Amino acid sequence: MNTKIIAVANHKGGVGKTTTVASLGSILSQKGYRVLVVDLDAQSNLTTSLVPSFEGATIYEALTGRTGTLPTVAITDNFHLVPASLTLAMIDVELSTAIARESILKDVLEKAQVSDHYDYVLLDCPPSLGLITLNAFTASTDIIIPLVSEVLPFKGLTMITDFINMVKRKLNPLVKVSGILITRWEGSKLSKGIEEKLRATLGDQVFDTKIRKNIRLAEAPLENRNIVDYDKSSNGAKDYIQFTEEFLARIQ
């Protein structure tokens, strides 16, 4: 199997990017796949949700050449994390004059030979369409867009798809949107209306699985656990298990 590098991205915050990376990554690893998750957000929510405390090199050091290796933390034997810290907030300024700055992450992943060590690499992107997200799309084979079923995020979908198309034309012709994942779904008239409009407009590009709004999803990171280990009977765990099955069927 060829390694899939999947960017989980949306320039709007609070749509479930980190929860999706942590949940999908952990469920895939429990199925026996070798999984690497990469925290690309200076807020480092993925890092703090998976490891109680961390000191050492991060993705920032790898991107700026301060370390020659890709720093990883083993969550389990086949589930690894490349952590982030607040220093990542300076990356746009530091790399603004670098040659081929849009492909630095791709070079770092290739140098680390991730394709020899992992089946899936999941990139948790920041809530912007800046240099880090550009690097993520340039390095990726696939993109998943989590989307809250509200009016404004739906309107913002055009912006991110235009950005992806630009990357596809100029930097990475092989990258594709694997699907749009509806998150924080509730049985309200608004949620249902937005979902209907999304499916009518984009058809099969929208995953069948929806992630229901669920307090357990917010609680799990506080315990440094993924949703399945935290509460397998919760709607959040059930939805992400179902999503992982659909993801695998679609991407393989």
Side-chain angles (χ1 to χ4, degrees):
M1 174 183 138
N2 293 326
T3 298
K4 298 289 187 181
I5 301 177
I6 298 137
V8 179
N10 190 322
H11 54 291
K12 188 181 187 309
V15 298
K17 293 185 291 291
T18 299
T19 302
T20 298
V21 169
S23 303
L24 177 60
S26 60
I27 295 166
L28 285 171
S29 70
Q30 288 170 13
K31 286 178 169 292
Y33 295 104
R34 301 166 300 166
V35 181
L36 176 69
V37 293
V38 184
D39 194 343
L40 293 173
D41 190 349
Q43 296 176 71
S44 58
N45 289 334
L46 180 64
T47 301
T48 55
S49 72
L50 293 176
V51 289
S53 60
F54 172 78
E55 289 182 14
T58 67
I59 189 63
Y60 169 79
E61 280 76 21
L63 292 172
T64 56
R66 286 174 168 83
T67 177
T69 58
L70 189 64
T72 58
V73 179
I75 309 301
T76 64
D77 285 347
N78 60 340
F79 185 35
H80 296 171
L81 161 74
V82 179
S85 69
L86 194 55
T87 51
L88 196 58
M90 303 185 293
I91 201 77
D92 278 27
V93 174
E94 287 212 31
L95 298 183
S96 61
T97 57
I99 295 171
R101 59 187 180 273
E102 67 280 344
S103 59
I104 292 172
L105 176 62
K106 181 181 179 183
D107 293 342
V108 165
L109 295 176
E110 285 178 354
K111 186 179 177 183
Q113 297 178 314
V114 295
S115 58
D116 292 340
H117 302 292
Y118 300 101
D119 301 307
Y120 293 100
V121 179
L122 306 178
L123 309 176
D124 184 20
C125 297
S128 75
L129 297 179
L131 185 57
I132 285 290
T133 301
L134 180 61
N135 264 266
F137 289 176
T138 304
S140 295
T141 57
D142 299 83
I143 299 168
I144 292 172
I145 305 173
L147 190 75
V148 178
S149 50
E150 296 170 357
V151 176
L152 289 177
F154 178 68
K155 287 183 175 178
L157 192 58
T158 304
M159 189 182 296
I160 190 168
T161 50
D162 286 349
F163 187 78
I164 292 166
N165 288 333
M166 181 270 291
V167 173
K168 196 175 178 72
R169 280 196 317 272
K170 297 185 176 182
L171 297 166
N172 182 5
L174 299 179
V175 72
K176 65 183 185 298
V177 176
S178 291
I180 293 162
L181 175 64
I182 297 172
T183 59
R184 284 172 45 197
W185 190 88
E186 46 194 340
S188 66
K189 187 176 180 181
L190 176 62
S191 271
K192 290 176 180 176
I194 293 290
E195 181 190 352
E196 284 174 14
K197 193 172 180 183
L198 264 177
R199 295 193 187 281
T201 307
L202 299 166
D204 291 344
Q205 203 164 25
V206 184
F207 285 104
D208 290 336
T209 308
K210 304 184 289 277
I211 309 300
R212 287 168 286 182
K213 197 171 185 177
N214 180 232
I215 190 64
R216 306 301 268 174
L217 285 170
E219 293 171 353
L222 300 175
E223 302 293 328
N224 306 115
R225 299 171 75 187
N226 66 73
I227 185 61
V228 177
D229 289 342
Y230 181 67
D231 186 354
K232 194 170 185 176
S233 65
S234 67
N235 284 340
K238 290 174 182 175
D239 291 347
Y240 271 112
I241 289 169
Q242 183 178 327
F243 167 65
T244 302
E245 295 297 336
E246 186 179 358
F247 164 84
L248 285 169
R250 184 176 290 209
I251 208 160
Q252 287 181 342

